[in-house]
């Protein structure tokens, strides 16, 4: 089958052969940047390429094709489009773009972003050696301080690339009624869901339980997380991040538990760690037809 991909910097089309049989790895020519001009890169082409691969990972996971999932994940993590989008997110979009890690490096100018791309484009991500996070603190509403671990710019870029590949697989697994740290979901969606479940005379829902995990990110079990992502092509790199430690007031400390709240991949790892909690509590979700469409109502054990 012939597929077409465009080079973001030039707009030229190039053909690429891809074998789509079950036992073969699909190869698609990845989008390339314009070597000399960061601002001229056609981001829509890179986004379209990455999104297409993510959809294929999602479908393969739904179909139970584990080998296909791993092949597509490797392809996505090696793609230049994923690298471009990751650098853009870390150095342009995220609010923490002006905060450096322990190495003091930042890339706030287009020339530095392009230089960073050229430094990382030929690096094997499986050989990446994470640096410790930079520990800082922010004040909570109750006056207490919350520790935040800030990875280096390069670590954040690599984390985002792995996040792009790991997230669609787990989106195929996550419960339909969870909303925290999920793509294209927000607290407003959760509020609508609660309203739909509680409204009307036919509703058997008469209460809402609100809970909180104490120091959730700081106490996540590393072995449990790594067991959950077993089979992911770059699970070893994630293990290195979890064990990279942190630097606080120029003092290095090891990390035996938890994942840094400043890490891009940390919210996904938290969701992966908590996945299965509904099953343990006896909560099941069944599709129900309503006037506004199909929703998933929860059926939980009361005993």
């Amino acid at each position: 089958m012939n597929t077409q991909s465009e080079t973001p910097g030039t707009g030229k089309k190039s053909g690429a052969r891809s074998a789509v049989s079950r036992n073969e790895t699909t190869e698609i020519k990845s989008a390339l940047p314009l070597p000399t001009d960061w601002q001229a890169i056609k981001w829509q082409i890179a986004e379209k390429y990455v999104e297409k691969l993510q959809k294929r990972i999602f479908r393969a996971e739904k179909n139970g094709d584990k080998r296909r999932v791993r092949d597509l994940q490797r392809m996505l993590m090696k793609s230049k489009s994923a690298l471009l989008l990751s650098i853009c997110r870390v150095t342009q979009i995220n609010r923490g773009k002006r905060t450096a890690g322990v190495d003091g490096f930042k890339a706030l100018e287009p020339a530095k972003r392009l230089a960073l791309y050229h430094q990382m484009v030929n690096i094997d991500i499986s050989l990446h050696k994470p640096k410790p996070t930079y520990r800082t603190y922010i004040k909570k509403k109750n006056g207490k301080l919350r520790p935040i671990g800030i990875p280096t710019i390069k670590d954040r870029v690599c984390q985002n690339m792995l996040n792009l590949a790991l997230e669609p697989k787990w989106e195929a697994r996550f419960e339909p009624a969870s909303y925290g740290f999920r793509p294209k979901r927000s607290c407003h969606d959760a509020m609508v869901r609660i309203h739909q479940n509680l409204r009307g005379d036919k509703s058997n829902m008469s209460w809402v339980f609100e809970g909180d995990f104490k120091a959730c990110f700081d106490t996540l079990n590393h072995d449990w997380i790594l067991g959950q992502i077993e089979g992911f092509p770059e699970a070893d790199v994630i293990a290195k991040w979890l064990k990279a430690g942190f630097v606080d007031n120029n003092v290095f400390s090891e990390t035996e538990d938890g994942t840094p709240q400043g890490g891009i991949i940390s919210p996904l790892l938290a969701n992966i760690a908590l996945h299965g909690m509904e099953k343990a509590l006896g909560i099941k979700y069944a599709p129900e037809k309503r006037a506004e469409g199909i929703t998933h109502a929860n059926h939980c054990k009361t005993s």
Side-chain angles (χ1 to χ4, degrees):
M1 183 182 75
N2 285 324
T3 60
Q4 297 289 328
S5 63
E6 288 191 357
T7 303
T10 63
K12 295 180 180 179
K13 292 186 176 180
S14 59
R17 287 279 179 184
S18 80
V20 294
S21 64
R22 183 182 180 86
N23 296 321
E24 293 181 313
T25 303
T26 305
E27 296 182 357
I28 301 178
K29 196 167 185 178
S30 177
L32 299 172
L34 186 67
T36 58
D37 193 347
W38 176 264
Q39 294 176 324
I41 295 171
K42 297 185 178 180
W43 296 104
Q44 290 183 342
I45 298 173
E47 290 171 355
K48 185 177 180 180
Y49 175 83
V50 169
E51 184 179 359
K52 183 177 180 180
L53 280 180
Q54 288 181 312
K55 289 179 178 178
R56 294 172 67 185
I57 293 171
F58 181 91
R59 288 195 298 267
E61 178 64 24
K62 282 290 189 182
N63 293 333
D65 194 340
K66 295 182 179 180
R67 179 177 177 180
R68 182 74 158 181
V69 169
R70 290 193 296 268
D71 288 343
L72 291 170
Q73 286 177 326
R74 290 190 185 96
M75 187 187 307
L76 178 52
M77 289 184 289
K78 291 179 180 179
S79 75
K80 298 176 178 63
S81 292
L83 177 57
L84 278 171
L85 294 177
S86 297
I87 293 175
C88 180
R89 175 182 176 181
V90 170
T91 64
Q92 284 185 254
I93 299 174
N94 282 6
R95 288 184 296 177
K97 62 187 177 182
R98 299 182 185 278
T99 304
V102 293
D103 60 356
F105 175 74
K106 293 183 285 186
L108 301 176
E109 297 83 21
K112 286 188 177 181
R113 293 168 185 146
L114 190 62
L116 178 62
Y117 167 79
H118 286 299
Q119 289 175 18
M120 301 184 67
V121 67
N122 294 318
I123 295 177
D124 186 348
I125 198 169
S126 63
L127 302 178
H128 177 67
K129 296 181 179 180
K131 293 182 180 296
T133 59
Y134 168 70
R135 175 65 64 90
T136 185
Y137 298 88
I138 60 174
K139 185 174 289 188
K140 300 167 65 174
K141 291 182 179 180
N142 58 9
K144 295 182 178 180
L145 296 178
R146 172 181 293 161
I148 302 294
I150 309 297
T152 65
I153 293 293
K154 287 186 178 180
D155 279 336
R156 276 177 263 175
V157 171
C158 290
Q159 284 189 18
N160 193 73
M161 294 179 70
L162 267 62
N163 193 84
L164 290 173
L166 188 60
E167 188 173 64
K169 172 181 177 176
W170 281 89
E171 278 297 309
R173 296 185 179 187
F174 287 147
E175 299 290 354
S178 66
Y179 296 91
F181 304 116
R182 299 279 301 276
K184 299 182 180 179
R185 295 190 177 203
S186 68
C187 61
H188 299 287
D189 298 311
M191 292 167 63
V192 171
R193 171 62 183 273
I194 294 172
H195 173 73
Q196 290 175 345
N197 283 349
L198 293 178
R199 71 175 184 173
D201 297 333
K202 296 182 179 180
S203 175
N204 61 353
M205 303 294 178
S206 58
W207 51 268
V208 174
F209 175 78
E210 181 180 0
D212 187 20
F213 291 97
K214 183 178 180 180
C216 178
F217 283 89
D218 298 330
T219 57
L220 293 175
N221 185 278
H222 291 173
D223 293 335
W224 174 256
I225 293 174
L226 296 175
Q228 290 284 76
I229 64 172
E230 185 178 0
F232 179 61
E234 302 301 344
D236 289 344
V237 179
I238 294 179
K240 293 176 185 177
W241 276 319
L242 293 175
K243 299 295 185 182
F246 63 89
V247 175
D248 187 1
N249 288 325
N250 295 322
V251 177
F252 172 79
S253 299
E254 296 181 349
T255 47
E256 299 298 332
D257 296 294
T259 178
Q261 292 195 42
I264 287 179
I265 203 171
S266 294
L268 175 59
L269 295 181
N271 275 341
I272 292 174
L274 297 174
H275 179 65
M277 184 177 63
E278 294 92 341
K279 183 178 181 180
L281 295 174
I283 300 173
K284 298 181 180 179
Y285 298 94
E288 289 187 358
K289 291 185 179 181
R290 295 184 177 178
E292 63 276 4
I294 296 179
T295 185
H296 290 79
N298 60 304
H299 302 280
C300 59
K301 298 177 182 178
T302 57
S303 58

